[in-house]
Amino acid sequence: MRRVVVTGLGMVSPLGDGVDVTWSRLLDGQSGAGPITKFDASHLGTTYACEVPRGEGEGDFNADAYMPPKEQRKIDDFILYGVAAADQAIADSGWVPESDDDRFRTGVMIGSGIGGLNSIADTAVLLKEKGPRRVSPFFIPGALINLVSGQVSIKYGLKGPNHAVVTACSTGAHAIGDAARLIALDDADVMVAGGAESPISEIGVAGFNACKALSTKRADDPTKASRPWDADRDGFVMGEGAGVVVLEEYEHAKARGAKIYAEILGYGLSGDAHHITAPPPNHEGAERAMRAAVKRAGIAPSEIDYVNAHGTSTMADTIELGAVERVLGDAASECSMSSTKSAIGHLLGAAGAVEAIFCILAIRDQVAPPTLNLENVDCEHTIDLIGPEKRERKIETVLSNSFGFGGTNASLIMGKVR
Amino acid sequence: MSDVADRVKKIVVEHLGVEEDKVVENASFIDDLGADSLDTVELVMAFEEEFGIEIPDDAAETIQSFGDAVKFITEAA
């Protein structure tokens, strides 16, 4: 199979607009959590989240820089975030398809876990109150999950495979893994891949509250709410944003002199066949996804230096830790693990893509990001669990885990190009 | 310019993101003002909302320009 490398990165996160600002704030130990400002959340079980900072301040996300206001009005925010992250990633890669053949060989695979939830809720109310003639012609194309891929392809004339993953909180990881396979199997030379999500809405919070999935007890200090593996964790903190990478066939990237961040070495998938929202007690599904990724990468588990855990700040954190340690075996003590959801919250369908980017930056800068608020680890462990301070260390090979409702698991292994 | 024309122009400028001086009597929404077929559907909905009228689909198809819109609404309102 052909080798696949990463040549462009783009991100909109609760720590700011762009990869550089997010990464520096993440390493600095900053949190993106705060009271919900998008709507009045005072009547909901959870009143805080990790919102993308919007405005014109330093590091803020300024939507007008990516799309004219009249176009923003026609789409849900997840599409806006996805297009912005794709803009950044494509610019970073320097890839400009010039011939028809270049365009036919460049595709897009940006997914979302839920898609235009807020648009659907607003339009349902409008339908009830004012009738069907008031439903906007832009409602459907502004809410469909594959419209991030559609918008990006139209903006850049990318005529290769056009696809969108929908696997809840595994979406971002599956998108990168599946897009890499399209390149490996020679269906494309370049793929713009990732995930986008904008779930912070009345209906989104109410829905996840009903599942008992969200943290509810930290309204006094939301920055302390996301605390993976900590004994005092009480659920995940909802986040929003997008992560997009440009994936490229290795020889294609070399031939044009592209900057190469890392190689996609392995990708593993599995299903739990257990429960709609909960992992099985030993999470053997996660273990099989990781083992499949290790096998595909052709490495020994002991070569993994850093694991970016799914680690959502729920009871499942320690179950994942057990599965990771079974895969690593005796090498667990040499490996470091953290959960960046402690700082940016859970970006659902965007999480896997944003976290894959953090893994790539960890390789570039030889530093692993921290797990904020990890004060009292809730289980026995031999792996090096990184607490609230970043960890400088040798990082050549990384593993990123993503698990989703429905029992869907994805693991990505990335490494320095050798 | 009539009150109706002012209000129609405001809607067109807002929805299509065009300069006010481009919205002239015979300016076609699609050919001159950059609208697509979905934009024109939304424009008609906005006219209905603003003027409290109903524009049936067959009538909506005849509203191709700023002048068409002002004429139709003036007669309907």
Side-chain angles (χ1 to χ4, degrees), chain A residues 240-269:
Chain A
E240 61 172 352
V244 173
V245 297
V246 173
L247 301 174
E248 192 163 347
E249 194 272 324
Y250 180 46
E251 297 298 335
H252 188 277
K254 268 203 312 189
R256 70 180 184 89
K259 163 187 61 193
I260 296 174
Y261 285 99
E263 180 168 2
I264 306 293
L265 296 171
Y267 169 46
L269 312 80

Side-chain angles (χ1 to χ4, degrees), chain A residues 241-320:
Chain A
V244 173
V245 297
V246 173
L247 301 174
E248 192 163 347
E249 194 272 324
Y250 180 46
E251 297 298 335
H252 188 277
K254 268 203 312 189
R256 70 180 184 89
K259 163 187 61 193
I260 296 174
Y261 285 99
E263 180 168 2
I264 306 293
L265 296 171
Y267 169 46
L269 312 80
S270 71
D272 290 334
H274 173 71
H275 185 266
I276 52 172
T277 61
N282 62 355
H283 215 171
E284 60 82 28
E287 183 178 340
R288 283 185 292 109
M290 286 184 267
R291 289 194 192 283
V294 166
K295 181 182 168 194
R296 180 63 67 184
I299 62 169
S302 59
E303 290 179 60
I304 297 170
D305 300 305
Y306 169 66
V307 178
N308 189 297
H310 185 59
T312 54
S313 187
T314 62
M315 297 319 290
D317 298 351
T318 51
I319 299 173
E320 177 188 10

Side-chain angles (χ1 to χ4, degrees), chain A residues 57-408:
Chain A
E58 193 190 340
D60 285 354
F61 178 73
N62 178 8
D64 295 356
Y66 296 98
M67 197 179 282
K70 99 175 168 87
E71 298 303 321
Q72 294 170 36
R73 218 170 29 79
K74 299 174 183 174
I75 56 169
D76 198 275
D77 275 350
F78 82 101
I79 298 178
L80 174 65
Y81 295 149
V83 169
D87 279 355
Q88 297 170 18
I90 291 168
D92 185 39
S93 76
W95 172 237
V96 182
E98 275 163 4
S99 67
D100 269 347
D101 196 50
D102 284 347
R103 284 186 275 273
F104 298 156
R105 299 285 296 172
T106 304
V108 191
M109 193 181 309
I110 302 171
S112 181
I114 313 184
L117 187 60
N118 204 28
S119 304
I120 294 169
D122 287 349
T123 305
V125 171
L126 187 74
L127 176 68
K128 191 82 179 165
E129 289 179 350
K130 296 193 169 178
R133 292 183 61 84
R134 294 274 81 84
V135 174
S136 166
F138 299 108
F139 161 54
I140 298 289
L144 289 179
I145 282 178
N146 71 301
L147 260 286
V148 186
S149 292
Q151 291 271 7
V152 170
S153 72
I154 293 164
K155 186 166 185 176
Y156 290 96
L158 310 180
K159 298 185 175 182
N162 199 268
H163 202 330
V165 173
V166 183
T167 50
C169 306
S170 300
T171 297
H174 274 135
I176 291 173
D178 288 353
R181 292 235 162 129
L182 290 181
I183 295 171
L185 294 170
D186 204 12
D187 293 303
D189 292 325
V190 182
M191 289 293 296
V192 181
E197 203 80 77
S198 56
I200 305 173
S201 59
E202 197 175 9
I203 193 170
V205 173
F208 279 103
N209 269 155
C211 294
K212 305 290 179 202
L214 295 180
S215 167
T216 58
K217 295 178 181 164
R218 299 274 178 176
D220 55 327
D221 187 357
T223 67
K224 301 285 185 219
S226 188
R227 41 197 317 120
W229 301 292
D230 188 84
D232 291 328
R233 68 196 185 281
D234 77 317
F236 80 78
V237 178
M238 194 180 277
E240 61 172 352
V244 173
V245 297
V246 173
L247 301 174
E248 192 163 347
E249 194 272 324
Y250 180 46
E251 297 298 335
H252 188 277
K254 268 203 312 189
R256 70 180 184 89
K259 163 187 61 193
I260 296 174
Y261 285 99
E263 180 168 2
I264 306 293
L265 296 171
Y267 169 46
L269 312 80
S270 71
D272 290 334
H274 173 71
H275 185 266
I276 52 172
T277 61
N282 62 355
H283 215 171
E284 60 82 28
E287 183 178 340
R288 283 185 292 109
M290 286 184 267
R291 289 194 192 283
V294 166
K295 181 182 168 194
R296 180 63 67 184
I299 62 169
S302 59
E303 290 179 60
I304 297 170
D305 300 305
Y306 169 66
V307 178
N308 189 297
H310 185 59
T312 54
S313 187
T314 62
M315 297 319 290
D317 298 351
T318 51
I319 299 173
E320 177 188 10
L321 187 147
V324 169
E325 290 195 341
R326 289 198 300 279
V327 171
L328 294 176
D330 293 339
S333 60
E334 302 298 315
C335 181
S336 300
M337 179 160 76
S338 65
S339 171
T340 45
K341 290 186 178 77
S342 60
I344 62 169
H346 190 354
L347 273 62
L348 309 182
V354 166
E355 288 157 19
I357 293 171
F358 292 153
C359 284
I360 290 162
L361 297 171
I363 294 170
R364 184 191 69 181
D365 295 345
Q366 298 292 288
V367 59
T371 309
L372 305 190
N373 305 313
L374 177 52
E375 290 158 7
N376 301 300
V377 180
D378 192 28
C379 63
E380 297 287 313
H381 63 97
T382 54
I383 198 167
D384 169 38
L385 267 187
I386 303 171
E389 297 288 329
K390 67 187 178 191
R391 178 74 42 85
E392 288 174 9
R393 58 158 292 162
K394 172 185 81 81
I395 302 175
E396 293 189 351
T397 308
V398 298
L399 168 71
S400 184
N401 281 336
S402 294
F403 315 132
F405 278 6
T408 174

Side-chain angles (χ1 to χ4, degrees), chain A residues 68-71 73-74 126 130-142, chain B residues 14-17 34 36 38-39 41-42 44-46 48-49 53-57:
Chain A
K70 99 175 168 87
E71 298 303 321
R73 218 170 29 79
K74 299 174 183 174
L126 187 74
K130 296 193 169 178
R133 292 183 61 84
R134 294 274 81 84
V135 174
S136 166
F138 299 108
F139 161 54
I140 298 289
Chain B
E14 272 177 20
H15 282 258
L16 301 183
D36 64 20
L38 296 182
D39 289 318
V41 173
E42 201 189 36
V44 167
M45 287 171 54
E48 290 183 325
E49 183 92 8
I53 57 175
E54 186 161 318
I55 306 177
D57 288 350

